Amino acid sequence: TTGEIAWAFLEKHGSKVYVGALLTTGYVLLRRVQSRVVRTSLGALGCCGLFYFAMKLPVGRSSSMLTCSLYWMSSIKLLHLLASAPKEKPLTARDYLFEFLWLGLPVSKNPEPRPLSKNLTENGLVVLMGVSKVFGGIFFAKWLLKCLEKHPGSELMNNLPLTLAYLPLLGGMIFCSTSSNDFQMAAVSLISGDRYRMLEFSRFPLFSKSPRDFWSRRYNRLFGTLLHGSVFSPLRPFFGAPGASFLTFLVSGALHAHVAHVSFGRGMMSSFAFFTVHGVACAVTPAFWGDSVPRPIAIGLTNLFLWATAPLYAGLMLHSSPSWIVDNWSHWKLPFDIPTPPAYP
């Protein structure tokens, strides 16, 4: 019957329909509400409906991790637009739509296009970096899986030293997984004559001089840009930079706690604790971790802090492996084998 067909359609595409209706309602109706508190509260109530669809996501799938993240990112962007809706010169429907499309395709105009020769040279280096990440990703994934065959994740859950030993391999695998972003960046720049550029996912995070440098400038720049513009900047006039920074990390902690629950079926408290600790670090380290600290020492201390706290969040992926990596970690297929060292320890 027609009703059964409609219900089957909603069962399969209900989340997409709901997100579309929520964003449309936000633009057509909610942004016209005069009271900022009322329109933002109504928007938040609508965003809570996304939790219903997040509950239906299959546990243990990387697609669930991505979908849940997009639910949160869309909600953060919507609430920011509703809370800051200007009375004069409101966003056009096109600009409003692009605010959300940017979350999936972070491309923006480049005010200073590079000359053709420089554009070709620098994008050639970007492609070379992407190719090296392809090989690096396969290398680290094979090496880590070899180690996890000897000591599976269930064993690592009660073995902190071994978890810390395997985290560098996982970190290398995650860093190399952004190879597709390098190829996309080069393609967008070359096709548009460098008039448009795609935001890079990371910018050599191992060279971070402080936790703040790592989160605000170097790692996951898409999410960092969203939080800076939609959470930190609106809160800064009320709480100051340190307070706004800490509250932003609490929002990030809530997001990642939910993502951990959807992705691994556990780890909500440890995930929230991880981002709370890093929020405190980013708020207090500028007081005693300034430019006076030599750069090599600052980089070493930052990486040591990241490594020591990583079991709280990244450890969840290790503890759910090797099955989680085997089921979710896609990589390029090569016609030859890449040798890896023996498992350790």
Side-chain angles (χ1 to χ4, degrees):
T1 65
T2 304
E4 291 175 338
I5 294 175
W7 180 254
F9 177 82
L10 289 176
E11 279 287 311
K12 186 176 182 179
H13 303 287
S15 60
K16 301 181 184 67
V17 173
Y18 185 85
V19 170
L22 178 63
L23 300 186
T24 302
T25 301
Y27 181 79
V28 176
L29 298 177
L30 296 184
R31 73 189 187 100
R32 302 180 187 277
V33 177
Q34 293 298 313
S35 171
R36 175 184 296 181
V37 174
V38 172
R39 66 173 179 261
T40 306
S41 299
L42 290 173
L45 186 62
C47 291
C48 288
L50 293 174
F51 282 88
Y52 167 77
F53 295 102
M55 289 170 55
K56 302 178 69 175
L57 294 172
V59 176
R61 307 300 302 178
S62 60
S63 58
S64 299
M65 177 186 291
L66 178 60
T67 302
C68 187
S69 298
L70 287 174
Y71 286 165
W72 272 85
M73 293 168 70
S74 300
S75 298
I76 291 170
K77 174 60 71 174
L78 175 63
L79 295 180
H80 174 227
L81 293 177
L82 291 176
S84 61
K87 294 181 180 179
E88 300 87 12
K89 199 176 180 180
L91 282 176
T92 64
R94 175 178 174 273
D95 291 338
Y96 178 85
L97 177 62
F98 281 0
E99 289 281 350
F100 294 96
L101 291 178
W102 186 87
L103 300 176
L105 190 65
V107 175
S108 56
K109 285 187 176 181
N110 179 18
E112 298 181 357
R114 294 168 291 190
L116 178 59
S117 59
K118 186 176 182 180
N119 190 34
L120 290 173
T121 301
E122 294 187 1
N123 278 304
L125 295 175
V126 171
V127 172
L128 185 61
M129 174 65 74
V131 172
S132 66
K133 286 181 180 179
V134 170
F135 290 98
I138 297 174
F139 172 81
F140 283 114
K142 288 184 61 179
W143 191 6
L144 180 57
L145 286 174
K146 186 184 296 185
C147 295
L148 290 171
E149 289 176 0
K150 184 178 179 182
H151 299 287
S154 57
E155 181 181 330
L156 298 182
M157 292 179 68
N158 301 313
N159 193 329
L160 180 59
L162 209 54
T163 297
L164 290 171
Y166 290 173
L167 277 172
L169 303 185
L170 178 65
M173 196 173 70
I174 292 174
F175 172 73
C176 292
S177 69
T178 60
S179 59
S180 59
N181 178 246
D182 294 327
F183 299 139
Q184 291 166 355
M185 287 169 53
V188 169
S189 177
L190 292 171
I191 292 173
S192 68
D194 206 38
R195 291 189 297 273
Y196 290 88
R197 285 192 184 181
M198 172 175 277
L199 183 69
E200 55 190 339
F201 180 83
S202 63
R203 183 181 291 172
F204 301 104
L206 284 177
F207 295 102
S208 302
K209 297 184 296 181
S210 66
R212 175 182 287 186
D213 185 33
F214 177 83
W215 289 113
S216 64
R217 301 182 185 92
R218 294 188 178 274
Y219 182 72
N220 200 345
R221 300 190 65 227
L222 171 63
F223 190 54
T225 302
L226 170 67
L227 287 181
H228 186 277
S230 297
V231 181
F232 175 80
S233 294
L235 292 178
R236 185 173 184 175
F238 303 98
F239 300 97
S245 174
F246 181 69
L247 291 173
T248 301
F249 270 92
L250 292 185
V251 173
S252 180
L255 182 157
H256 285 88
H258 191 192
V259 169
H261 176 70
V262 167
S263 304
F264 309 109
R266 55 189 174 79
M268 294 186 68
M269 293 302 297
S270 65
S271 300
F272 188 78
F274 174 81
F275 285 93
T276 301
V277 169
H278 279 256
V280 172
C282 288
V284 303
T285 49
F288 56 88
W289 198 322
D291 295 333
S292 59
V293 178
R295 183 180 179 88
I297 296 178
I299 292 175
L301 290 174
T302 301
N303 280 279
L304 181 62
F305 174 72
L306 292 169
W307 176 63
T309 56
L312 291 170
Y313 188 69
L316 296 172
M317 191 180 297
L318 277 180
H319 299 159
S320 301
S321 296
S323 60
W324 199 92
I325 295 177
V326 171
D327 293 340
N328 295 283
W329 207 267
S330 60
H331 55 75
W332 300 78
K333 305 296 183 182
L334 299 178
F336 53 87
D337 189 44
I338 295 180
T340 57
Y344 81 96

